[in-house]
Amino acid sequence: MWLVQHVDGAVLAVGPDGWPIEADPDTPDLDTVPGWRPVAEGVRHIGDTVDEPAVGIVAEMLCGRLITMPRRRRREQAALFDCSACWHVWLGVY
């Protein structure tokens, strides 16, 4: 998957088949979003970086939530929900 930006500024996610991925603003699907998607308290967010930040860094999610990177690697938390606020910012729906 890759991103394509049109002249008007709109960004489209293009799937491996070369066709745009249709995104429903009311149904968050963060699996289509490339990059770092941390889970905090069961909610999966979209990080403001492509890769996971270094230890001790405070990272801001697209929704505005701040997550401090732990000193030790923790077990991966299960994602119960996708953050709808991050999803709307990603799609450009404020």
Side-chain angles (χ1 to χ4, degrees), residues 76-93:
E76 290 293 321
Q77 294 181 351
L80 303 175
F81 304 101
D82 286 338
C83 178
S84 60
C86 284
W87 179 245
H88 286 130
V89 171
W90 172 256
L91 293 177
V93 180

Side-chain angles (χ1 to χ4, degrees), residues 22-65:
E22 296 293 327
D24 181 7
D26 297 326
T27 309
D29 183 15
L30 272 54
D31 291 329
T32 61
V33 178
W36 181 54
R37 297 177 313 245
V39 176
E41 297 175 8
V43 180
R44 185 167 55 167
H45 296 274
I46 301 173
D48 60 352
T49 63
V50 175
D51 298 317
E52 185 174 334
V55 172
I57 299 292
V58 177
E60 184 176 6
M61 305 300 103
L62 291 184
C63 65
R65 180 177 178 142

